[in-house]
Amino acid sequence: MVQLTAKTGPNKGASWAITAKALVLGRGTICDVVIADPMVSRRHCEIYQVGSEVHLTDLGSSNTTLVNGAPIKECVLNIGDEIALGRVVFMVTGVNPASAQSVADTTEARTLSLSEGEALYLTNKVEEAMLQGRPKTVQDMSTLFAIARSLSRTTTVTELVDTLTERLIERFHPMCAWMARYHQEDDDLVFYSLRQFPACSSTNAPTSTMIRTLRDQRAMLTPTKSTSGSRKSLVTTLVAPMSVGGEMVAVVTLQTQTPQSVYDDTDLEFLIAVAYQAAPFFHTVEQVERLRRDNERLRQRAGESTTMVGVSKSIGHVRGLIQKAARSDLNVLILGETGTGKELAARMIHEQSSRGDGPFIIVNCAAIPKELFESELFGYEKGAFTGATQRRIGWVEQAHGGTLFLDEVGDLSLDNQARILRVIELGTFHRVGAETESHVDIRVVAATNRDLGIGVSDGTFRQDLYHRLNGFEIHIPPLRERPSDVPVLADHFFQLGLNRAKRPLTGIDPETLEYLASRPWSGNVRELRSSVNRAIALARSGMLVKEDFATGSGKAEEIRGEILSLAAVERQHITKVLGECGRNISQAARVLEISRNTLYNKISEYGIEV
């Protein structure tokens, strides 16, 4: 006699005879086998015998019927075949005349019966284990898909570990869980911190079992007895390795205890499938993080940084906006006071975007006389005007395939605003003196310390250009609104500036960091960086102390009395002239008898607010 036996579910172990009369399975109460599962249809499928063959027919169920993990409408069943309806799995058992295979032979190969301390191993090849752990229910298929979708959205190892842990909790409800990175050269584990299981540290993890699983390249289920006073329970542990390209990279372990639950072989098979699916994500995200660190290390050696440093909530919000802006191709408008790091934000957007391999061209709109702006922006043909002895490629064309950064865009004249607008709208431009139109593919990121909304209202800034630039707006708060970032930034600039120190320096005095955090920093991050660099150059001891820093207020540096550094005198004088000239750059440059570009460089160097 051939039978249908429940392998999982409330009726686990129960059997129904399969005869010529159809055995109907479904959620409806009139069915021969009632399955109380919302994923099962009222009349889901039927099983019946035709001669020596056992047939299955799906009755148009919503979530289909799985036979050995594959969706089936109609098929012939054999002894040992598994049939999944929703979360319940059945097995065909009994004597099949066609195969003459005994029930005992089948159940011995397919079912799990473990004694305390006895382990179940599944294959020494992860690929084969993945096939054994194929989804046997619609719910498992849905869970695997949801896990893959969630993992694909993570960008750091911490996010990846948190996301995977959440998904494992939803499916397995473990009492404890561990995940660890495997270093094969040392045969050692480095445990990830699972915030959902703070009590499950590396000290109480089954480390030896996890390492043995990785060495043998096979998953393991182990039941052990636990005694606490008069209370006895059974602890079951699942361990599955993660492999990429045949190399063991990590291991995941889940543990539960009666009466909470008991894991069986189907749980182990599913965990193998999850581990097999998650392993490439671990490998990829780790590689990306390593490349980011290496890139930042190289930039630090070169004296620059593309990391927006800070621990405040506001700067964390800015970093999040930068990541979102980088994923889109919208134009970006960055707002903020002078020296807050608008150019840094623009560079981060470019480097994290799909255009990161392309050029990043910076145009300081305030530093170029409006009469020269067109030829600088678009370039010119040979002979276009007196002195044009050869063709020149303009900034717009240089930025083709990349990002054009328009710094201080609020200082553009209305005529030049119209020229920029045409490029943004149509992607076309004319070199000065050219007869034909040129096409360009650029993304525009603009920055200003002005309120463009007021500019639109008073007619000094075009409304249509404002809306074109403002596809994505990011506002960088001034440093005085985030004092918790000052010590972190100061230490960051100290590390970058160490190569210019004239004597061995070990750090910044803690009291000095508190003093720096209390300063208003009208020039924002730029002023702080200049102050740290100046302190490094003037340091008299192994640590930077309060006396090494200027007040940064534009007045005499009173910390050292009346003796001022040359830089402090220059900063004070430039600030005074700018004030007397009403912040008019051209007029101030004439008074100081320097060029506008030189004045802008001085303003940038000293963090002077304009």
Side-chain angles (χ1 to χ4, degrees):
M1 176 184 292
V2 183
Q3 293 182 321
L4 182 70
T5 302
K7 189 176 178 183
T8 66
N11 297 319
K12 182 177 181 179
S15 296
W16 296 264
I18 301 175
T19 63
K21 182 183 177 182
L23 187 66
V24 180
L25 291 77
R27 185 161 46 87
T29 56
I30 61 171
C31 294
D32 301 301
V33 180
V34 179
I35 305 169
D37 188 329
M39 299 184 69
V40 176
S41 299
R42 291 188 179 278
R43 297 182 80 253
H44 201 101
C45 69
E46 61 181 11
I47 301 173
Y48 51 91
Q49 194 165 8
V50 179
S52 61
E53 293 182 337
V54 176
H55 290 249
L56 179 145
T57 301
D58 186 271
L59 300 175
S61 63
S62 300
N63 291 316
T64 196
T65 303
L66 300 182
V67 176
N68 297 326
I72 295 295
K73 291 296 183 184
E74 188 170 352
C75 70
V76 175
L77 298 173
N78 294 305
I79 298 295
D81 283 346
E82 291 180 345
I83 306 150
L85 283 69
R87 290 169 290 188
V88 179
V89 179
F90 297 88
M91 178 184 290
V92 179
T93 59
V95 179
N96 186 340
S99 64
Q101 185 180 16
S102 70
V103 177
D105 292 339
T106 303
T107 55
E108 182 180 354
R110 286 290 199 165
T111 60
L112 171 71
S113 177
L114 292 179
S115 302
E116 188 274 326
E118 180 186 357
L120 169 72
Y121 298 95
L122 286 183
T123 190
N124 59 353
K125 291 185 179 180
V126 178
E127 289 80 4
E128 292 179 11
M130 170 59 185
L131 293 175
Q132 286 191 29
R134 64 190 180 278
K136 294 185 174 67
T137 69
V138 172
Q139 185 184 26
D140 281 352
M141 291 177 67
S142 175
T143 301
L144 280 177
F145 175 75
I147 291 173
R149 184 172 57 184
S150 299
L151 296 183
S152 68
R153 296 171 180 166
T154 60
T155 57
T156 66
V157 172
T158 300
E159 288 181 2
L160 184 64
V161 169
D162 277 350
T163 301
L164 182 56
T165 305
E166 291 289 350
R167 292 299 184 178
L168 291 174
I169 290 172
E170 292 173 6
R171 168 59 172 79
F172 293 94
H173 307 289
M175 175 186 69
C176 215
W178 299 271
M179 266 185 263
R181 182 72 167 87
Y182 181 53
H183 294 283
Q184 193 166 1
E185 60 277 10
D186 302 323
D187 196 27
D188 193 20
L189 297 177
V190 176
F191 285 83
Y192 297 110
S193 176
L194 306 187
R195 61 178 179 80
Q196 299 91 337
F197 296 96
C200 303
S201 65
S202 58
T203 56
N204 56 12
T207 305
S208 59
T209 301
M210 295 166 74
I211 291 178
R212 187 165 71 251
T213 295
L214 290 160
R215 287 175 186 163
D216 299 342
Q217 299 187 22
R218 56 181 178 179
M220 184 186 302
L221 185 157
T222 306
T224 55
K225 288 182 180 178
S226 175
T227 303
S228 177
S230 60
R231 181 173 172 268
K232 295 182 179 180
S233 60
L234 181 68
V235 177
T236 49
T237 305
L238 303 177
V239 187
M242 297 185 187
S243 169
V244 176
E247 178 185 351
M248 295 293 120
V249 297
V251 60
V252 57
T253 301
L254 305 178
Q255 195 173 81
T256 191
Q257 184 175 348
T258 56
Q260 178 176 322
S261 62
V262 176
Y263 294 140
D264 59 19
D265 55 341
T266 58
D267 294 312
L268 181 61
E269 289 173 350
F270 188 74
L271 184 61
I272 292 171
V274 173
Y276 185 84
Q277 179 175 256
F281 289 100
F282 269 89
H283 184 70
T284 301
V285 172
E286 273 195 343
Q287 291 297 322
V288 170
E289 283 200 336
R290 186 177 295 114
L291 288 173
R292 285 175 184 160
R293 290 194 299 269
D294 291 345
N295 184 270
E296 180 62 20
R297 193 178 300 115
L298 290 173
R299 291 186 177 280
Q300 287 180 359
R301 290 178 182 175
E304 62 172 303
S305 173
T306 53
T307 298
M308 188 157 284
V309 176
V311 295
S312 65
K313 184 177 180 180
S314 58
I315 210 66
H317 177 65
V318 170
R319 282 194 293 262
L321 290 176
I322 287 172
Q323 290 181 350
K324 290 179 180 178
R327 289 196 290 266
S328 76
D329 206 37
L330 295 172
N331 295 326
V332 182
L333 180 61
I334 305 173
L335 305 174
E337 295 180 4
T338 298
T340 50
K342 297 187 292 294
E343 181 182 328
L344 173 59
R347 191 178 293 275
M348 290 174 66
I349 291 170
H350 168 73
E351 294 192 352
Q352 295 177 26
S353 73
S354 59
R355 296 175 178 266
D357 292 332
F360 179 73
I361 304 300
I362 302 173
V363 179
N364 189 332
C365 300
I368 307 162
K370 64 179 181 180
E371 298 81 7
L372 299 179
F373 189 79
E374 182 179 12
S375 61
E376 293 292 323
L377 189 69
F378 302 130
Y380 50 81
E381 296 291 341
K382 180 180 180 180
F385 49 82
T386 302
T389 57
Q390 60 184 7
R391 172 190 280 186
R392 182 187 182 280
I393 302 300
W395 291 316
V396 166
E397 199 167 353
Q398 291 177 38
H400 178 70
T403 303
L404 181 69
F405 175 49
L406 301 176
D407 197 12
E408 302 303 342
V409 70
D411 290 357
L412 281 176
S413 67
L414 288 171
D415 289 343
N416 288 328
Q417 289 176 34
R419 295 183 175 105
I420 287 287
L421 178 63
R422 178 176 175 80
V423 177
I424 295 174
E425 285 185 331
L426 304 177
T428 60
F429 67 96
H430 274 94
R431 293 195 200 96
V432 177
E435 296 181 358
T436 58
E437 203 170 44
S438 299
H439 293 266
V440 71
D441 171 27
I442 59 172
R443 181 191 194 180
V444 175
V445 177
T448 182
N449 60 2
R450 298 178 182 271
D451 188 332
L452 295 188
I454 294 178
V456 170
S457 299
D458 62 23
T460 59
F461 201 86
R462 295 179 62 115
Q463 185 175 26
D464 47 3
L465 177 59
Y466 173 69
H467 291 307
R468 283 289 182 181
L469 294 175
N470 196 20
F472 202 109
E473 183 176 297
I474 298 175
H475 179 264
I476 303 178
L479 194 54
R480 62 180 175 276
E481 293 181 5
R482 44 190 180 98
S484 61
D485 288 342
V486 173
V488 182
L489 281 164
D491 184 68
H492 177 69
F493 294 141
F494 173 81
Q495 297 298 330
L496 291 180
L498 273 179
N499 62 319
R500 294 189 294 272
K502 296 179 180 178
R503 59 182 55 81
L505 297 174
T506 58
I508 305 176
D509 176 64
E511 289 186 6
T512 303
L513 289 175
E514 292 181 11
Y515 159 72
L516 294 177
S518 68
R519 293 259 298 272
W521 299 111
S522 58
N524 293 295
V525 178
R526 184 182 294 141
E527 182 186 1
L528 175 60
R529 179 170 187 164
S530 297
S531 295
V532 173
N533 288 338
R534 189 161 52 246
I536 289 174
L538 300 175
R540 297 179 178 178
S541 62
M543 294 193 76
L544 298 187
V545 294
K546 184 176 179 180
E547 288 72 23
D548 294 321
F549 289 88
T551 62
S553 63
K555 299 179 181 180
E557 295 181 52
E558 299 169 348
I559 293 177
R560 287 201 173 118
E562 298 301 320
I563 301 176
L564 305 178
S565 68
L566 180 60
V569 172
E570 188 175 44
R571 184 187 191 284
Q572 180 181 351
H573 184 58
I574 291 173
T575 302
K576 180 180 179 181
V577 171
L578 281 169
E580 292 178 353
C581 294
R583 303 291 172 181
N584 186 303
I585 300 296
S586 298
Q587 184 179 349
R590 285 193 296 270
V591 171
L592 293 166
E593 297 183 347
I594 58 177
S595 69
R596 284 164 52 95
N597 280 346
T598 300
L599 179 54
Y600 270 105
N601 289 336
K602 294 292 184 182
I603 290 171
S604 174
E605 178 182 356
Y606 296 133
I608 299 172
E609 188 173 0
V610 294

